[in-house]
């Protein structure tokens, strides 16, 4: 009987020992008492509703679990939501706080695996492996980098504020300049139009004068040819003596009646050039704008002058001694019987829209100069005054050139002011600038609001044209560059980061024909980010072990 009892007692004792061992092992493998042990700060809100009475869903929505099932070393959720602090779920994530250094997220399978993955040793809490806390020493380099980054941001924030103030002031000036240029363009455009009209009138008068001279020259040559033919005919034709005697009587008038004939003769003499002289003198009189008396015309020169003028022209002149005759003379000009053109006198031109103050600006000077030209130049004077015509042409050319420059400047300002320079105009200084970086055999050139290129020697490849800002003004996008051989069009993304000066760095081609570059700039040194960095440094310093101080 005793022999049977002893084996049973031994079996019972072994069972108790195994049970106690298993309980001890299980307790050792459980995480420390922490309601959210192994949970990252980003996921803390997800577990707030967890309690013994209520359950929450797994992140994948497949199941639910309550507080008693949280970190119990048994995987209830396939995605490991219920076991962030144990190695029960292979898909779980464990968060190392690493106070004094940078946090780390591990796969749950690395928890209690005998290797110190977290510098604070929190991943090996079962006691099998002793992991000293080395975060403060390991984080020394990181804290130094963080301090330098904060210093850069502090100086960069100051530069950024200054650039923003400059940008706003420049934009305000350019908007005012644009408005002023638009007004000047309107005024100058009116002046150019008037000068153009006056220049065209002069050119028409010159053309009419040229045609008139050609016509007169042609008539003169025809008359001369007819006269030559008549002279030849007279030389060859026999002349009877009685006719010759009669002609001789006409050619040689009695000496005692010469004075009477000189004063009252109304018919021209035959056989001389008096008719041609009369025509020439009449033409000259018309061109000079006055009526001249000649020795051949006598008292009837006015009637011969009418014959010498074009029947389509009507001319009325004032006394040349009158000081206002040049600006007040009136001429009605008709080039043919079927059409007519009315010309305004200088006094009738409207200068009300271009008359400015007595300031010494270039526009006022041009207005006064043009007005003086309109008052002084008589476009209907015959022949046209070459000097005055040249002055009108010169003023038209100069005013047209000035107008073209103003219009070009207006176009430039409109294009510039419609660009997106950022919420605070912090990227205004980028306009018209290019940033370069040489890497190996290539020179990369990024020109915001324009294009990006890759240069190799004399060869240039377009990486893209300016498209827009992306990711809250943290990325510049260039699209539709030169096409890759048997591939897509090239494109470039430029990621912006805080820096004390604009500097292009680290250009790479992570994907075929898709380029990536980084640009340091004060425009990205924002105050919100500076505050975030300062808070992070304060948090790291709070976790400093007692008796340990960073060297100053």
């Amino acid at each position: 009987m005793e022999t049977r009892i002893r084996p049973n007692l031994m079996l019972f004792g072994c069972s108790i020992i195994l049970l106690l061992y298993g309980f001890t092992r299980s307790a050792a493998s459980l995480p420390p008492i922490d309601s959210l042990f192994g949970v990252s700060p980003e996921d803390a809100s997800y577990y707030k509703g967890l309690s013994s009475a209520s359950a929450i869903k797994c992140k994948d929505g497949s199941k639910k679990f309550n507080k008693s099932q949280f970190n119990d070393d048994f995987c209830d959720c396939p995605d490991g939501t219920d076991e962030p602090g144990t190695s029960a779920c292979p898909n779980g994530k464990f968060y190392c706080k690493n106070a004094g250094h940078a946090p780390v997220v591990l796969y749950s399978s690395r928890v209690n695996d005998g290797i110190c993955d977290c510098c604070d040793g929190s991943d090996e809490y079962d006691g099998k492996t002793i992991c000293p806390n080395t975060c403060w020493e390991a984080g020394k380099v990181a804290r130094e980098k963080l301090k330098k980054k904060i210093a850069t941001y502090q100086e960069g924030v100051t530069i950024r504020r200054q650039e923003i103030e400059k940008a706003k002031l420049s934009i305000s000036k350019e908007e005012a300049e644009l408005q002023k240029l638009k007004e000047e363009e309107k005024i100058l455009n009116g002046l150019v139009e008037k000068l153009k009209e006056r220049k065209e009138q002069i050119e028409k008068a010159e053309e009419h004068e040229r045609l008139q001279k050609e016509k007169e020259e042609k008539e003169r040559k025809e008359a001369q040819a007819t006269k030559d033919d008549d002279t030849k005919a007279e030389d060859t034709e026999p002349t009877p003596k009685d006719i010759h005697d009669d002609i001789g009587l006409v050619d040689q008038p009695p000496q005692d009646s010469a004075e009477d004939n000189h004063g009252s003769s109304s018919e021209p003499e035959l056989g001389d050039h008096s008719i041609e002289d009369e025509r020439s003198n009449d033409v000259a009189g018309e061109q000079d704008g006055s009526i001249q008396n000649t020795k051949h015309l006598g008292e009837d020169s006015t009637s011969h002058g009418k014959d010498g003028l074009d029947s389509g022209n009507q001319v009325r002149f004032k006394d040349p001694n009158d000081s206002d005759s040049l600006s007040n003379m009136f001429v009605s000009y008709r080039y043919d019987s079927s059409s007519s053109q009315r010309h305004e006198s200088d006094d009738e031109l409207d200068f009300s829209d271009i008359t400015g103050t007595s300031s010494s600006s270039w526009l006022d000077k041009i207005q006064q100069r043009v007005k003086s030209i309109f008052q002084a130049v008589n476009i209907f004077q015959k022949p046209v005054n070459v000097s005055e015509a040249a002055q009108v042409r010169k003023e038209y050319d100069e005013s047209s050139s000035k107008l073209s420059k103003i219009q070009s400047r207006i176009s430039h300002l409109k294009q510039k002011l419609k660009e997106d320079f950022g919420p605070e105009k912090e990227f205004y200084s980028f306009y018209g600038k290019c940033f370069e970086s040489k890497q190996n055999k290539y020179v990369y050139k990024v020109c915001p609001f324009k294009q990006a290129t890759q240069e190799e020697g004399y060869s240039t490849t377009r990486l893209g044209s300016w498209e827009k800002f992306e990711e809250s003004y943290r990325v510049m996008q260039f699209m539709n560059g030169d096409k890759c051989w048997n591939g897509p069009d090239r494109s470039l993304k430029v990621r912006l980061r805080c820096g004390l000066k604009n500097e292009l760095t680290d250009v790479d081609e992570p994907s075929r024909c898709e380029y990536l570059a980084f640009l340091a700039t004060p425009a990205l040194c924002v105050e919100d980010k500076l505050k975030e960095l300062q808070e992070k440094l304060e948090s790291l310093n709070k976790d400093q072990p007692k008796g340990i101080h960073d060297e100053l």
Side-chain angles (χ1 to χ4, degrees), residues 95-359:
Y95 176 78
C96 301
K97 186 178 180 181
N98 290 345
H101 192 29
V104 177
V105 177
L106 308 173
Y107 282 107
S108 297
S109 60
R110 298 171 67 178
V111 175
N112 291 327
D113 63 350
I115 301 174
C116 299
D117 298 295
C118 303
C119 66
D120 60 2
S122 59
D123 61 314
E124 300 296 325
Y125 56 81
D126 63 357
K128 292 182 179 181
T129 303
I130 304 301
C131 296
N133 189 333
T134 60
C135 288
W136 186 257
E137 193 64 30
K140 185 175 182 180
V141 175
R143 289 194 303 276
E144 289 299 321
K145 288 183 178 179
L146 182 58
K147 289 178 182 178
K148 290 181 179 179
K149 192 172 184 180
I150 290 174
T152 299
Y153 264 83
Q154 287 174 331
E155 189 174 351
V157 165
T158 302
I159 297 174
R160 184 177 186 271
R161 288 197 195 116
Q162 294 172 350
E163 291 297 326
I164 289 174
E165 290 302 317
K166 289 180 182 178
K168 290 180 179 179
L169 183 61
S170 297
I171 290 173
S172 177
K173 288 181 178 179
E174 288 175 342
E175 287 175 342
E177 180 188 359
L178 178 61
Q179 184 62 33
K180 182 180 178 182
L181 287 174
K182 286 181 178 179
E183 295 173 358
E184 291 176 348
E185 178 196 23
K186 182 178 179 180
I187 295 174
L188 189 56
N189 191 59
L191 291 175
V192 170
E193 287 299 319
K194 285 179 168 55
L195 285 167
K196 181 181 179 182
E197 180 182 355
R198 185 59 59 93
K199 183 174 76 76
E200 291 175 349
Q201 290 171 347
I202 289 175
E203 290 172 350
K204 287 181 179 179
E206 289 175 334
E207 178 65 12
H208 179 75
E209 183 178 318
R210 184 185 66 80
L211 295 175
Q212 183 68 20
K213 287 181 178 180
E214 289 180 355
K215 178 180 177 182
E216 292 170 356
E217 180 65 17
K218 181 179 179 182
E219 290 176 350
R220 188 190 67 78
K221 289 181 178 180
E222 291 177 351
Q224 184 65 38
T226 302
K227 182 179 178 181
D228 292 343
D229 292 341
D230 292 342
T231 302
K232 290 179 180 180
E234 291 175 359
D235 292 341
T236 56
E237 182 178 350
T239 304
K241 187 176 184 302
D242 56 347
I243 295 177
H244 177 74
D245 293 339
D246 291 339
I247 293 176
L249 293 174
V250 175
D251 290 339
Q252 299 177 5
Q255 295 295 330
D256 57 357
S257 61
E259 293 179 359
D260 295 336
N261 290 335
H262 178 73
S264 62
S265 176
S266 61
E267 292 184 5
E269 296 177 352
L270 298 178
D272 58 15
H273 299 286
S274 60
I275 295 177
E276 292 299 325
D277 292 340
E278 288 172 10
R279 180 174 299 164
S280 300
N281 288 327
D282 289 338
V283 171
E286 179 184 287
Q287 292 176 346
D288 292 333
S290 64
I291 302 176
Q292 300 180 0
N293 294 323
T294 66
K295 62 181 179 179
H296 300 290
L297 295 178
E299 297 178 351
D300 295 332
S301 59
T302 303
S303 61
H304 288 293
K306 291 181 180 179
D307 295 336
L309 291 173
D310 187 344
S311 61
N313 298 334
Q314 295 178 357
V315 184
R316 194 155 43 125
F317 299 95
K318 276 196 170 186
D319 185 357
N321 296 323
D322 187 354
S323 61
D324 297 330
S325 62
L326 185 60
S327 60
N328 294 328
M329 77 167 55
F330 170 80
V331 182
S332 176
Y333 220 48
R334 292 201 305 270
Y335 296 118
D336 55 67
S337 59
S338 61
S339 64
S340 63
Q341 182 175 0
R342 179 180 177 273
H343 298 277
E344 290 182 320
S345 68
D346 294 321
D347 293 338
E348 293 174 345
L349 293 176
D350 183 15
F351 290 93
S352 61
D353 61 332
I354 61 172
T355 301
T357 62
S358 59
S359 65

Side-chain angles (χ1 to χ4, degrees), residues 381-488:
Q381 178 179 330
K382 297 182 63 179
V384 176
N385 187 298
V386 176
S387 176
E388 292 175 348
Q391 186 178 4
V392 171
R393 290 189 176 95
K394 178 183 178 182
E395 196 63 42
Y396 170 77
D397 292 339
E398 291 179 353
S399 299
S400 297
S401 177
K402 187 69 176 178
L403 178 61
S404 178
K405 290 179 180 179
I406 288 178
Q407 291 171 338
S408 177
R409 177 64 177 166
I410 288 175
S411 177
H412 171 78
L413 288 175
K414 284 183 176 179
Q415 176 65 31
K416 182 177 182 179
L417 292 175
K418 77 176 184 179
E419 295 289 357
D420 180 9
F421 296 125
E424 299 179 84
K425 311 302 180 184
E426 62 268 32
F427 297 105
Y428 173 84
S429 62
F430 280 13
Y431 193 88
K433 291 184 179 179
C434 294
F435 311 111
E436 294 185 8
S437 176
K438 185 174 182 180
Q439 298 191 15
N440 299 324
K441 61 181 180 179
Y442 298 114
V443 175
Y444 294 93
K445 185 181 293 185
V446 174
C447 305
F449 309 107
K450 191 175 180 181
Q451 66 175 4
T453 59
Q454 178 193 66
E455 298 178 0
E456 181 184 5
Y458 296 100
S459 175
T460 300
T461 302
R462 289 180 60 257
L463 301 183
S465 298
W466 169 258
E467 188 73 14
K468 60 181 178 179
F469 284 104
E470 292 183 340
E471 300 181 20
S472 301
Y473 296 90
R474 293 182 178 275
V475 174
M476 295 190 299
Q477 180 72 57
F478 295 83
M479 300 290 291
N480 303 317
D482 291 341
K483 189 176 183 62
C484 283
W485 182 82
N486 199 25

